[in-house]
Short mmCIF file of all heavy atoms in Angstrom, two decimals:
data_model
loop_
_atom_site.label_atom_id
_atom_site.label_comp_id
_atom_site.label_asym_id
_atom_site.label_seq_id
_atom_site.Cartn_x
_atom_site.Cartn_y
_atom_site.Cartn_z
N GLU X 303 19.70 9.26 66.87
CA GLU X 303 19.34 10.45 66.10
C GLU X 303 20.20 11.65 66.50
O GLU X 303 20.70 12.37 65.65
CB GLU X 303 17.86 10.77 66.28
CG GLU X 303 16.94 9.79 65.60
CD GLU X 303 15.48 10.07 65.85
OE1 GLU X 303 15.12 10.66 66.90
OE2 GLU X 303 14.66 9.69 64.99
N ARG X 304 20.35 11.85 67.78
CA ARG X 304 21.14 12.99 68.26
C ARG X 304 22.62 12.86 67.92
O ARG X 304 23.25 13.80 67.47
CB ARG X 304 20.98 13.14 69.78
CG ARG X 304 19.64 13.67 70.18
CD ARG X 304 19.56 13.83 71.68
NE ARG X 304 18.21 14.23 72.07
CZ ARG X 304 17.72 14.04 73.27
NH1 ARG X 304 18.44 13.47 74.21
NH2 ARG X 304 16.50 14.44 73.55
N GLN X 305 23.16 11.68 68.19
CA GLN X 305 24.60 11.50 67.99
C GLN X 305 25.02 11.53 66.53
O GLN X 305 26.08 12.03 66.19
CB GLN X 305 25.07 10.20 68.64
CG GLN X 305 26.57 10.02 68.53
CD GLN X 305 27.14 9.13 69.61
OE1 GLN X 305 26.48 8.79 70.57
NE2 GLN X 305 28.39 8.76 69.45
N PHE X 306 24.16 11.01 65.64
CA PHE X 306 24.55 10.88 64.25
C PHE X 306 23.85 11.88 63.34
O PHE X 306 24.03 11.85 62.13
CB PHE X 306 24.34 9.45 63.77
CG PHE X 306 25.17 8.46 64.55
CD1 PHE X 306 24.58 7.60 65.44
CD2 PHE X 306 26.55 8.44 64.43
CE1 PHE X 306 25.33 6.71 66.19
CE2 PHE X 306 27.31 7.56 65.17
CZ PHE X 306 26.70 6.69 66.05
N GLY X 307 23.04 12.77 63.91
CA GLY X 307 22.42 13.83 63.13
C GLY X 307 21.43 13.36 62.10
O GLY X 307 21.36 13.92 61.00
N VAL X 308 20.67 12.32 62.43
CA VAL X 308 19.64 11.81 61.52
C VAL X 308 18.30 11.82 62.24
O VAL X 308 18.23 11.90 63.45
CB VAL X 308 19.96 10.37 61.04
CG1 VAL X 308 21.22 10.33 60.22
CG2 VAL X 308 20.02 9.40 62.19
N ARG X 309 17.26 11.74 61.46
CA ARG X 309 15.91 11.61 62.02
C ARG X 309 15.30 10.37 61.40
O ARG X 309 15.07 10.31 60.18
CB ARG X 309 15.08 12.84 61.67
CG ARG X 309 13.66 12.77 62.12
CD ARG X 309 13.52 13.19 63.58
NE ARG X 309 12.11 13.28 63.92
CZ ARG X 309 11.58 12.59 64.91
NH1 ARG X 309 12.31 11.79 65.64
NH2 ARG X 309 10.30 12.71 65.17
N LEU X 310 15.09 9.33 62.20
CA LEU X 310 14.53 8.09 61.70
C LEU X 310 13.02 8.23 61.53
O LEU X 310 12.36 8.87 62.35
CB LEU X 310 14.82 6.93 62.65
CG LEU X 310 16.29 6.63 62.97
CD1 LEU X 310 16.39 5.39 63.83
CD2 LEU X 310 17.12 6.49 61.73
N THR X 311 12.51 7.63 60.47
CA THR X 311 11.06 7.59 60.30
C THR X 311 10.49 6.61 61.32
O THR X 311 11.22 5.78 61.89
CB THR X 311 10.68 7.12 58.88
OG1 THR X 311 11.09 5.75 58.72
CG2 THR X 311 11.32 7.99 57.81
N ASP X 312 9.19 6.69 61.53
CA ASP X 312 8.54 5.74 62.44
C ASP X 312 8.75 4.31 61.96
O ASP X 312 8.96 3.40 62.78
CB ASP X 312 7.05 6.03 62.55
CG ASP X 312 6.75 7.33 63.29
OD1 ASP X 312 7.66 7.85 63.99
OD2 ASP X 312 5.62 7.84 63.16
N GLU X 313 8.72 4.11 60.65
CA GLU X 313 8.92 2.77 60.09
C GLU X 313 10.34 2.27 60.34
O GLU X 313 10.54 1.10 60.67
CB GLU X 313 8.61 2.75 58.59
CG GLU X 313 7.15 2.98 58.26
CD GLU X 313 6.74 4.46 58.30
OE1 GLU X 313 7.61 5.37 58.25
OE2 GLU X 313 5.53 4.71 58.41
N GLU X 314 11.32 3.15 60.16
CA GLU X 314 12.71 2.75 60.42
C GLU X 314 12.90 2.39 61.89
O GLU X 314 13.52 1.38 62.21
CB GLU X 314 13.67 3.88 60.04
CG GLU X 314 13.82 4.08 58.55
CD GLU X 314 14.59 5.33 58.20
OE1 GLU X 314 14.51 6.34 58.94
OE2 GLU X 314 15.30 5.30 57.17
N ALA X 315 12.38 3.23 62.78
CA ALA X 315 12.52 2.98 64.21
C ALA X 315 11.85 1.66 64.60
O ALA X 315 12.42 0.86 65.34
CB ALA X 315 11.96 4.14 65.02
N ALA X 316 10.64 1.43 64.10
CA ALA X 316 9.92 0.20 64.42
C ALA X 316 10.63 -1.02 63.86
O ALA X 316 10.58 -2.11 64.43
CB ALA X 316 8.50 0.27 63.88
N GLY X 317 11.32 -0.85 62.73
CA GLY X 317 12.01 -1.95 62.08
C GLY X 317 13.33 -2.36 62.73
O GLY X 317 13.91 -3.37 62.35
N LEU X 318 13.79 -1.60 63.69
CA LEU X 318 15.04 -1.94 64.37
C LEU X 318 14.80 -3.11 65.31
O LEU X 318 14.28 -2.95 66.40
CB LEU X 318 15.59 -0.75 65.16
CG LEU X 318 15.96 0.50 64.36
CD1 LEU X 318 16.49 1.57 65.30
CD2 LEU X 318 17.00 0.18 63.30
N GLN X 319 15.17 -4.28 64.85
CA GLN X 319 14.99 -5.48 65.66
C GLN X 319 16.31 -6.03 66.21
O GLN X 319 16.31 -6.78 67.17
CB GLN X 319 14.30 -6.57 64.84
CG GLN X 319 12.92 -6.15 64.36
CD GLN X 319 11.98 -5.79 65.50
OE1 GLN X 319 11.86 -6.53 66.47
NE2 GLN X 319 11.32 -4.65 65.40
N ASP X 320 17.42 -5.63 65.58
CA ASP X 320 18.74 -6.06 66.06
C ASP X 320 19.78 -5.01 65.68
O ASP X 320 19.47 -4.03 64.99
CB ASP X 320 19.11 -7.45 65.53
CG ASP X 320 19.16 -7.54 64.02
OD1 ASP X 320 19.59 -6.57 63.36
OD2 ASP X 320 18.78 -8.60 63.48
#
Side-chain angles (χ1 to χ4, degrees):
E303 289 177 333
R304 287 182 185 157
Q305 183 155 349
F306 299 109
V308 296
R309 176 83 172 123
L310 302 184
T311 66
D312 290 343
E313 292 80 18
E314 288 171 327
L318 298 180
Q319 299 301 311
D320 59 37

